Amino acid sequence: MKLPNKVTIKEVGPRDGLQNESQQVGTDNKTAWINRLSESGLSYIEVTSFVHPKWIPQLADAKEVLSSIKRKPGVTYAALVPNRRGLERALEGNVDEVSVFMSASETHNKKNINKTIADTLPVLKEVVQDAKAAGKSVRGYLSTVIACPHEGLIEPERVKAIAGELREMGIEELSLGETIGVAVPSQVERLLETLLPDFSEKFLAMHFHDTRGTALANVWKSLEMGITTFDSALGGLGGCPYAKGAAGNVATEDLLYMLGAAGIETGVSMDKLIEAGSYMESVLGKPMNSRQMEVYRKVEVE
Ligand code: HMG
Ligand code: MG
């Protein structure tokens, strides 16, 4: 078994994590949290999204967050963008990288962005073109790559076809979203076996939600298959409000523990992550949902 020596962790907590928090978090708290994350050695932080504020009120302060964070050189500050209006707002906030997103499932796509898949593709194409013309790099997300809460299992060939359309638009990387956290490693293997003959390992990233505790096993399977970029959210925060039952992302600190113990380099400091996690626990007034934070809390008490 050959594992990669080095992995990139992309922190999505401030976006994916907070979009699913019902309790409104203040702009100052978001900024202070992102600044702490910037000090942890992470090279990529998805800080917010420029979606319609009525759809995701928690992230209505996207521009303020982007303009008030302290940008650390070497860190990419990215944001989710659904359409041209979102891109205009993101560019006003001087985002470093834009993430476009859509779903492999027709029903989830409609519920999430209010369009059919066929109608979404030209919208994203325009965003990718305009973002690149403005000098920004662009990442794509494809959601429900294993299963949809409404349509059930999604065929890997379907994922491959839409992934091809997104690559054609000129995105630099595609993150495969296991949106509802139902996948097991054999399904991830089948998906990647379908995609990898046509897509390079470096072009793909994996985005696992952890509803059923299988996210780390799925990460491991992906590592074995050569994937080296993983999305995660500090404290296991997150979920998609338009995918009922979806729990948080795999927790960054749990991912880091597994990678570190396996001798895989990430450049991220566990102590700094825990510090940022403790800060967010105090802001949210509840414990974070991660094994590492649990271990830390126990050690603190002893
Ligand atoms: P819509 O209502 O169909 O939009 O929403 P529209 O294009 O018909 O426009 C209606 C009005 O909204 C217009 O204003 C637009 O200007 C305005 P009016 O002319 O009526 O005054 N508008 C906007 N305003 C601000 N920012 C914008 C924007 N767009 C239009 N960007 C839309 C379509 C896509 C905007 C909406 O459905 C939306 O915001 N959806 C986002 C839902 C969301 O954020 N979901 C969670 C993120 S995805 C996710 O979590 C999955 C992921 O983590 C991967 C995984 O886990 O699988 C990425
Ligand atoms: Mg997600």
Side-chain angles (χ1 to χ4, degrees):
M1 182 184 64
K2 172 119 175 53
L3 294 175
N5 300 323
K6 213 173 156 202
V7 152
T8 303
I9 298 181
K10 299 204 164 175
E11 171 63 41
V12 297
R15 191 279 302 171
D16 202 327
L18 292 186
Q19 77 184 11
N20 215 34
E21 280 299 318
S22 49
Q23 177 192 336
Q24 189 65 38
V25 177
T27 308
D28 289 355
N29 294 132
K30 289 175 185 168
T31 305
W33 185 36
I34 295 163
N35 289 346
R36 282 173 167 81
L37 289 169
S38 294
E39 293 304 319
S40 70
L42 287 161
S43 58
Y44 189 101
I45 309 175
E46 193 175 73
V47 289
T48 189
S49 74
F50 289 90
V51 298
H52 199 300
K54 274 200 199 129
W55 285 61
I56 308 279
Q58 176 70 264
L59 303 181
D61 59 354
K63 208 171 118 188
E64 290 74 25
V65 169
L66 250 184
S67 40
S68 49
I69 52 174
K70 193 170 156 217
R71 296 190 189 206
K72 194 177 165 85
V75 179
T76 299
Y77 297 93
L80 216 61
V81 165
N83 55 17
R84 203 168 196 177
R85 176 74 195 110
L87 179 64
E88 278 165 19
R89 295 172 55 218
L91 293 178
E92 283 166 21
N94 193 22
V95 73
D96 292 335
E97 178 167 295
V98 164
S99 292
V100 295
F101 61 104
M102 64 180 295
S103 183
S105 133
E106 196 65 73
T107 318
H108 181 255
N109 202 68
K110 188 87 177 72
K111 285 186 189 285
N112 199 38
I113 48 178
N114 205 22
K115 278 190 173 49
T116 63
I117 288 176
D119 287 345
T120 302
L121 290 167
V123 173
L124 299 195
K125 189 174 174 189
E126 196 180 28
V127 173
V128 175
Q129 271 169 1
D130 291 357
K132 291 180 88 124
K136 307 297 176 185
S137 52
V138 186
R139 183 179 208 227
Y141 277 106
L142 187 54
S143 290
T144 64
V145 294
I146 299 282
C148 162
H150 314 283
E151 294 182 16
L153 290 177
I154 300 289
E155 271 307 309
E157 287 296 339
R158 179 173 183 74
V159 175
K160 186 172 166 177
I162 304 176
E165 302 255 15
L166 285 164
R167 180 175 58 186
E168 198 62 25
M169 289 177 197
I171 59 169
E172 269 102 2
E173 180 177 278
L174 179 65
S175 177
L176 299 171
E178 209 284 88
T179 317
I180 53 175
V182 292
V184 296
S186 55
Q187 292 171 312
V188 173
E189 185 172 29
R190 191 168 155 241
L191 175 66
L192 288 175
E193 271 172 0
T194 308
L195 290 176
L196 284 174
D198 280 24
F199 296 86
S200 117
E201 290 94 341
K202 296 282 172 226
F203 177 71
L204 299 176
M206 303 305 286
H207 178 108
F208 291 113
H209 283 261
D210 199 25
T211 316
R212 288 162 182 81
T214 53
L216 282 179
N218 292 332
V219 169
W220 193 263
K221 174 53 71 185
S222 313
L223 287 169
E224 286 179 344
M225 297 185 75
I227 303 295
T228 55
T229 304
F230 295 91
D231 301 348
S232 60
L234 191 72
L237 293 173
C240 177
Y242 302 99
K244 205 164 167 267
N249 291 85
V250 63
T252 308
E253 57 275 37
D254 291 347
L255 175 63
L256 181 65
Y257 174 78
M258 187 176 82
L259 296 174
I264 298 171
E265 200 188 309
T266 60
V268 182
S269 150
M270 181 66 85
D271 288 350
K272 296 276 184 192
L273 279 188
I274 296 290
E275 213 178 294
S278 302
Y279 172 75
M280 212 47 195
E281 280 190 339
S282 69
V283 170
L284 294 172
K286 63 176 185 187
M288 292 286 212
N289 184 23
S290 82
R291 299 297 168 99
Q292 282 306 304
M293 287 300 292
E294 215 172 286
V295 169
Y296 168 76
R297 282 191 297 268
K298 278 188 190 141
V299 173
E300 277 286 280
V301 171
E302 277 162 14

